[in-house]
Every structure is written in C-alpha cells, then in structure tokens.
Amino acid sequence: MAPATLSFNESSDLTDFVINQGHGVKGLSEVGLKALPKQYIHPREERIDEADILPQASIPVIDMSKWDDAEVSKSICDAAENWGFFQVVNHCVPLEVLDRVKAATHRFFGLSAEEKKKYSKELSPSNNVRFGTSFNTQAEKALEWKDYLSLFYVSDDEASALWPTACKDEVLEYMKSSEVLIKQLLQVLMKGLNVREIDETKEKILMGSLRTNLNYYPICPNPELTVGVGRHSDVSTLTVLLQDDIGGLYVRANDGESWIHVPPINGSLVINIGDALQILSNGKYRSVEHCVIANGSKNRISVPIFVNPRPHEIICPLPEVLANGQKPVYKQVLYSDYVKHFFRKAHDGKKTVDFAKLSN
Ligand SMILES: COc1cc(/C=C/C(=O)SCCNC(=O)CCNC(=O)[C@H](O)C(C)(C)COP(=O)(O)OP(=O)(O)OC[C@H]2O[C@@H](n3cnc4c(N)ncnc43)[C@H](O)[C@@H]2OP(=O)(O)O)ccc1O
Ligand SMILES: O=C(O)CCC(=O)C(=O)O
Ligand SMILES: [Fe+2]
C-alpha cells in the first residue's frame, strides 16, 4: 500500500515512485495529490478541447447475430473503410467472460506495487509479460495517465507459468472466446478485398499473434491537463476492445480535426482496424487515430486484444488487392520491425504508418 499522503520534492522522486518502485499512476492517484505533477502536463494541442467534440456523431453499432448476411457484411466493410472503428453487439463472446476479465483486471491492479513490479521490464521473467506505466517513458516529453499489463500469447503452458495468477485464467478465457468473433470479422473483411479463403499462410499474416493489454486509468487531479492515452493508431490487424461503463475513448472524425466519443454499451466490444490491415488492404481499410482522456472522479479500465501478424511475417499490400491494377502505397516490411518502430517513440498520431510508405 502506498502511504496516504506523500510529497515529491524532486522530479526524480516522482519517477522513482511511479516507475522504479512500481506504484504506477494508480499509486500516485491514491496518495491524494491536490494537483497534477508537471511531468503529466501535456501541451494544449495534445489534449481534447470540448469545442472539437462532435456530440451528435457516433461510430456504427453492428449486430453480429447474422454476421454473414450480405447486409451485415456490407456494414462491416463500410465501417472499416469509412470509420476504422465500430462496436459489435450480439457477438458470440459470452457476457460472463467479459465480466470475469474486467474483475481480473481490477484484481491485478489491486495488487501491491511490490507484486506488480515483478512484471516490470527489468524484473519480468519474460519479454512477453510486461507491467508498465504511460507508454514509452524514455521517449515521452509528457507522461500519460495510465498503467498497463501487456501479455503476448505464445502458448497455454507459457501463460500458465509466467502470467500473473490474478488474471491469467480470465485473460486466456477472454482471448480464446474471442477467436470466433475475430475469424468472423476477418472472413468478412477479406471477402471485401476479394480474398476468398483465409488459408494457413493468410491466417499467419492476419491473426498469427495475439497480445492482450489490461489498461488502468486511475482518478486524476486536473484531468483536463493530461491524457490517458495519447493520439495513436494501433499497429495490429484489428483490435477487439472491451471497455467498462466509464467512457473516455475518442476517435478522430473524418475531417481530421474533430473527435467522436465511443460511448460504453453494456456487453458490446469495440473493433478497430490497425495499421497492419491498412497496409495489407493498400489503404482501403483505415486505422484511425484515437486517444483516451483522463477522468477526475472515476477509475476506468479497458482490455484490448491486439490481433496481429506473426512477428516474422513480411507485410505489404495483398496480391488480391493489387490485382485490379492499383499501385501499391506501402512497401514490404518485417512486422516486428514495424512494431519496434512504434514502441520506440512516443505516441504521435498516425505517423507510425509512414515507416511502411513507398515514396512514390
Ligand atoms: C502500452 O501502451 C500501448 C500499447 C499499444 C499497443 C498497440 C498495439 O497494436 S500492440 C500489438 C503489437 N503487436 C505485437 O505485439 C505482435 C508482434 N510482436 C512483436 O513483434 C514483438 O513481440 C515485439 C513487440 C517487437 C517485441 O519484441 P522483442 O524482441 O521482445 O523486442 P524488445 O526489444 O523487447 O522490444 C522492442 C521495443 O519495444 C518496447 N516494448 C516491447 N513490448 C512492449 C509492450 N508490450 N509495451 C510497451 N513497449 C513495449 C521495448 O521496451 C523495446 O523498446 P526499447 O526502447 O526498450 O528498445 C497502444 C497504445 C498504448 O498506449
Ligand atoms: O482504453 C481504451 O479505450 C483504448 C486504449 C487503446 O487505445 C490502446 O490500448 O491501444
Ligand atoms: Fe489503441
């Protein structure tokens, strides 16, 4: 337990408490700070201005109960092309599974700093299990108000041996129960690109690896001065995101300036297209910039499953997409190089995808 009140005389004291001692921003939130530490203050242009929110707009909500009907398939492909984000309801992931993984997320973050620190970059028994705070504390000019646990799936045995007991069974259950939904979505999206069948080779490119993150956004003093997660697009093929009932996720509108809120819908899952699918589809399906605001009165959690190519796959526009004569916009890149490029910088909107762009 962190002490009830604490003051940080030096900037290095705060970094030590949050990062090195493993208290995270959750620990900082719980010491009862009156004001946001300066390390978390973001420039005005990186925060969401109330005036830039489109209150009437919303991303599509798609009923998955008849997922392979032509009309539903069309709405999925349209959403991937025009919004990059949609919510699904009446999907096949049992609601109890979602409740269990949310409870497990609270259980993990409720552990002591000492316990969570065992999964930090420095101490974790594997690169595939990582507890951290913000996004990339080395590269960031201002820190983000979020703690996370990131779990890269290799095998049941590895998960059983290395993932934290507080959440491993529930994360595995959530990941495995989502596989049917992931396959349904990819089948529909591939049909929209004239890919008739997802064979073994395509499966490795589209869904060869899964990473599940548990995100924790604690109550923040001065939430208007910081961000929960800065502007970014995911580097996945697609992301399946479970959020709780607090809200705070915003998606970039098509005008490139405004933001649209993604309202929590009980039992729904948010789906977004990632950079890998934007590249594979030669830009037809769009990975869209998004961010999360901080909250002044409530703790929030979210649990994204990042569906990715295998790290050693080469990604580039699919031959089926280029068959009609369109010019490739992206070059061949090794997916793990692409992901490393993303992780080595601070969040910077949609800039990661430039790494794969052909220069005419
Ligand atoms: C955390 O806040 C986030 C996260 C996100 C995530 C969005 C996504 O779309 S995640 C999906 C990414 N795809 C994959 O993970 C599948 C492919 N995986 C790989 O290719 C590899 O596992 C790897 C990620 C490249 C790591 O390979 P490894 O050989 O172990 O390389 P390292 O040298 O350890 O790491 C490279 C570099 O990245 C940093 N890093 C690694 N894992 C994470 C992680 N889970 N979270 C944060 N950072 C990570 C690592 O520190 C290294 O950087 P250095 O500077 O230390 O060299 C969206 C938004 C968020 O706010
Ligand atoms: O917490 C959320 O709603 C979104 C988090 C996110 O964008 C991410 O983890 O990539
Ligand atoms: Fe994201």
Side-chain angles (χ1 to χ4, degrees):
M1 263 293 272
T5 53
L6 201 64
S7 62
F8 301 98
N9 298 323
E10 301 287 338
S11 175
S12 58
D13 293 348
L14 181 131
T15 318
D16 185 57
F17 177 81
V18 174
I19 302 172
N20 306 336
Q21 293 178 34
H23 289 282
V25 274
K26 182 170 184 288
L28 205 50
S29 170
E30 288 169 358
V31 299
L33 294 174
K34 294 281 174 290
L36 184 73
K38 63 177 187 310
Q39 292 89 334
Y40 289 90
I41 301 179
H42 284 248
R44 199 173 281 274
E45 63 276 14
E46 292 301 329
R47 311 177 209 150
I48 291 199
D49 189 332
E50 194 73 37
D52 291 332
I53 298 171
L54 298 176
Q56 309 299 342
S58 58
I59 61 167
V61 177
I62 298 175
D63 184 334
M64 288 295 285
S65 49
K66 296 200 176 121
W67 65 276
D68 58 353
D69 271 12
E71 220 175 295
V72 181
S73 298
K74 185 176 180 315
S75 60
I76 293 171
C77 294
D78 284 352
E81 274 189 62
N82 301 317
W83 297 87
F85 261 85
F86 51 100
Q87 303 213 51
V88 292
V89 294
N90 297 322
H91 50 72
C92 52
V93 190
L95 302 190
E96 308 78 62
V97 171
L98 303 183
D99 287 341
R100 280 198 283 270
V101 79
K102 281 190 272 188
T105 301
H106 281 287
R107 193 159 51 242
F108 174 77
F109 288 101
L111 295 174
S112 66
E114 196 184 2
E115 201 54 41
K116 285 182 284 193
K117 211 179 85 172
K118 291 182 184 162
Y119 304 99
S120 65
K121 185 179 172 184
E122 291 70 28
L123 299 180
S124 178
S126 157
N127 260 355
N128 299 330
V129 182
R130 177 177 307 211
F131 166 67
T133 189
S134 192
F135 175 63
N136 179 339
T137 56
Q138 302 292 316
E140 286 161 341
K141 290 202 183 104
L143 298 173
E144 300 182 351
W145 196 260
K146 178 196 76 173
D147 298 330
Y148 68 88
L149 175 72
S150 188
L151 301 168
F152 185 70
Y153 177 81
V154 173
S155 67
D156 283 5
D157 284 349
E158 194 197 81
S160 183
L162 301 180
W163 292 10
T165 310
C167 60
K168 68 180 170 197
D169 292 344
E170 295 79 4
V171 173
L172 275 174
E173 183 186 39
Y174 168 51
M175 234 182 56
K176 292 191 175 191
S177 313
S178 301
E179 259 176 44
V180 171
L181 169 65
I182 291 165
K183 285 187 174 158
Q184 291 168 346
L185 290 167
L186 286 174
Q187 197 174 312
V188 168
L189 289 166
M190 285 304 109
K191 241 188 182 170
L193 298 178
N194 294 320
V195 176
R196 298 278 157 232
E197 193 208 349
I198 302 182
D199 59 16
E200 227 176 281
T201 312
K202 285 261 163 28
E203 191 165 300
K204 282 184 204 152
I205 294 177
L206 294 169
M207 51 176 298
S209 72
L210 297 180
R211 176 184 293 281
T212 303
N213 280 10
L214 312 186
N215 293 325
Y216 193 92
Y217 307 89
I219 295 170
C220 178
N222 310 115
E224 68 290 352
L225 299 180
T226 191
V227 301
V229 179
R231 301 180 294 115
H232 70 284
S233 57
D234 294 345
V235 293
S236 52
T237 307
L238 50 86
T239 304
V240 175
L241 174 91
L242 170 65
Q243 60 168 337
D244 65 11
D245 57 356
I246 308 299
L249 169 63
Y250 286 83
V251 172
R252 188 64 100 183
N254 281 334
D255 64 8
E257 297 202 342
S258 318
W259 293 99
I260 298 170
H261 187 232
V262 180
I265 299 174
N266 193 28
S268 79
L269 288 163
V270 179
I271 309 295
N272 62 286
I273 304 302
D275 294 348
L277 190 49
Q278 174 165 321
I279 293 165
L280 293 165
S281 69
N282 204 32
K284 178 170 172 160
Y285 297 144
R286 294 167 49 215
S287 69
V288 168
E289 200 179 1
H290 52 287
C291 63
V292 178
I293 61 165
N295 191 304
S297 58
K298 286 176 177 150
N299 299 311
R300 174 177 187 268
I301 58 157
S302 69
V303 194
I305 301 175
F306 301 104
V307 181
N308 314 295
R310 273 200 193 179
H312 295 297
E313 291 294 331
I314 300 281
I315 58 165
C316 62
L318 293 167
E320 293 86 344
V321 176
L322 300 181
N324 62 7
Q326 64 178 277
K327 274 199 170 152
V329 178
Y330 303 102
K331 59 186 172 197
Q332 295 192 339
V333 290
L334 180 68
Y335 184 60
S336 60
D337 285 347
Y338 189 84
V339 178
K340 284 183 194 176
H341 174 68
F342 169 71
F343 279 135
R344 288 204 172 125
K345 55 191 178 53
H347 284 137
D348 56 1
K350 279 273 306 178
K351 285 199 186 139
T352 318
V353 82
D354 292 345
F355 185 77
K357 264 201 187 127
L358 276 169
S359 43
N360 297 324

